[in-house]
């Protein structure tokens, strides 16, 4: 084999190119696994609890979080190794996805809280109305 095949600079350039591709692919996969907008907006249910449970299910990000984590790991590794000449776009994409994941997690938590609260509220209201009828 020729010496140029093992040139450190060439190998480094090749490795950084592959690392960037890995980050981009992981980000693309994370985006592809995000909930569909219509699944969050359009719901078929018979009651409020059904709507809330459907919303909780629609807000499940599944493996998308794992892909975002993988993208960020590769990005941090490349950044600390000073491997990327221009990584602002990757950093922006990761930041945007992290913010979106935060919003989705917040909405999921709020829907979960409401789904846990509504049945008890319904029961309490039924009791209150029952007391009115008895009086």
């Amino acid at each position: 084999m020729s010496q140029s095949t093992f040139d450190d600079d060439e190998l480094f350039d090749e490795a950084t190119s592959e690392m960037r591709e890995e980050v981009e692919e992981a980000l693309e996969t994370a985006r592809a696994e995000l909930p569909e907008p219509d699944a969050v907006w359009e719901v078929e249910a018979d009651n409020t609890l059904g709507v809330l449970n459907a919303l909780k299910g629609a807000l499940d990000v599944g493996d998308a979080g794992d892909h975002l984590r993988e993208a960020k790991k590769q990005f941090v590794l490349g950044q600390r190794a000073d491997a990327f000449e221009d990584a602002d776009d990757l950093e922006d994409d990761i930041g945007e996805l992290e913010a979106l994941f935060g919003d989705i997690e917040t909405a999921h938590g709020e829907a979960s809280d409401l789904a846990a609260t509504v049945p008890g509220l319904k029961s309490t209201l039924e009791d209150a109305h029952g007391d009115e009828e008895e009086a």
Side-chain angles (χ1 to χ4, degrees):
M1 289 195 160
S2 70
Q3 183 66 25
S4 66
T5 306
F6 296 109
D7 180 56
D8 288 350
D9 289 337
E10 286 180 33
L11 291 172
F12 186 78
D13 289 346
E14 186 178 325
T16 58
S17 177
E18 289 171 1
M19 189 176 292
R20 183 178 183 86
E21 288 174 16
E22 288 175 12
V23 172
E24 290 170 347
E25 287 173 11
L27 288 171
E28 185 177 316
T29 303
R31 275 191 204 93
E33 292 190 21
L34 287 171
E36 291 293 326
D38 287 345
V40 173
W41 191 252
E42 297 175 7
V43 171
E44 290 184 29
D46 295 328
N47 56 42
T48 302
L49 185 58
V51 169
L52 292 171
N53 284 327
L55 181 58
K56 280 185 354 183
L59 292 170
D60 181 10
V61 294
D63 292 337
D66 293 338
H67 295 292
L68 177 58
R69 181 176 172 79
E70 186 60 33
K72 191 165 183 177
K73 282 189 331 189
Q74 291 296 325
F75 175 76
V76 168
L77 180 64
Q79 190 177 39
R80 288 193 181 164
D82 200 24
F84 303 126
E85 288 182 25
D86 180 24
D88 291 343
D89 61 328
L90 294 176
E91 190 170 21
D92 290 346
D93 287 348
I94 290 169
E96 288 172 10
L97 271 179
E98 284 180 321
L100 178 56
F101 273 66
D103 291 346
I104 292 170
E105 288 175 358
T106 298
H108 186 273
E110 290 173 356
S112 296
D113 290 347
L114 278 172
T117 303
V118 167
L121 180 59
K122 179 182 182 285
S123 178
T124 303
L125 287 170
E126 288 172 342
D127 291 347
H129 283 284
D131 290 345
E132 282 179 9
E133 291 175 8
E134 291 175 10

